[in-house]
Structure formats: structure tokens, C-alpha cells
Amino acid sequence: TKAQAEADMSATVRRFAEEVRQLVRKDTTDAELSAFTSLAYNIGTPNFKTSSALRWHNARESVSKVCAGIRMWDKATVNGKKIVLKGLVRRRAAECSVYTTGDFNE
């Protein structure tokens, strides 16, 4: 049912948010946590754990550098080749928007 699907998704998001919360420095804002939760959900927590975005965030690098780390995840394997996908470029831009402003902008 729709209600069960929403409950399942909510539980999944909470799980990813908790996994991300354990990896980021304590002063991470809600906006940054939201952006990273979205990224971790999409690329998997193991990939997020070793990502430049997380490393640079925790090292207190500039926002633009962290966003560059987020934007690195814009490729998918198609027919055995890594290619940039427009949808992933848009998703990463939205995550950077959330990270920097707290707002989702496409």
C-alpha cells in the first residue's frame, strides 16, 4: 500500500541518516546532513564513507570543495562504460544546493 511504502521509505531514510551522522563531525548542520543522507542513499554508505566529499567536509574544507566532491558522483556504468548522466548531474547539483543553503533547487 501507499502507506506501507511511505513507512518503508521513512525507515530507510532514518537508517541512512543515522549512518551518515556517525561519519560526519559533530557540528554538521541539518542541511549538510540532509545532503549527505541523499548522497549516501544514492551511492551507498560504503562509497560515501570513503568519498572526497565526506573527507573534505570533516577536514573543514571550503563549501565549494565539498560540493566538488559531491559532484564527482555523476557517472553510471552503461554498457560497461562510465558515463556522465544528466539525471545524476541534476541530483548532485540539488544535493549541493541543500548542503549550502538548505533548499532543494533544480
Side-chain angles (χ1 to χ4, degrees):
T1 67
K2 181 180 178 185
Q4 184 59 48
E6 289 173 350
D8 290 348
M9 185 63 178
S10 180
T12 299
V13 170
R14 280 193 306 274
R15 179 174 57 87
F16 275 93
E18 184 53 37
E19 290 171 357
V20 168
R21 195 175 284 113
Q22 292 176 15
L23 296 171
V24 296
R25 63 180 196 249
K26 294 198 183 307
D27 66 342
T28 299
T29 68
D30 287 343
E32 293 164 346
L33 181 66
S34 294
F36 281 157
T37 299
S38 174
L39 181 63
Y41 174 80
N42 192 239
I43 68 173
T45 304
N47 287 325
F48 174 71
K49 186 176 183 176
T50 61
S51 72
S52 297
L54 175 62
R55 184 172 59 256
W56 292 335
H57 169 81
N58 283 340
R60 301 179 192 278
E61 295 286 349
S62 68
V63 169
S64 62
K65 190 165 184 177
V66 175
C67 280
I70 291 171
R71 288 188 180 101
M72 289 178 181
W73 295 92
D74 64 354
K75 296 166 196 69
T77 303
V78 177
N79 297 325
K81 296 180 181 178
K82 291 272 187 183
I83 63 168
V84 174
L85 296 181
K86 282 184 181 181
L88 292 179
V89 170
R90 285 192 302 270
R91 180 187 292 246
R92 300 293 92 86
E95 289 162 348
C96 284
S97 178
V98 170
Y99 184 89
T100 58
T101 69
D103 291 330
F104 174 79
N105 296 317
E106 289 190 63

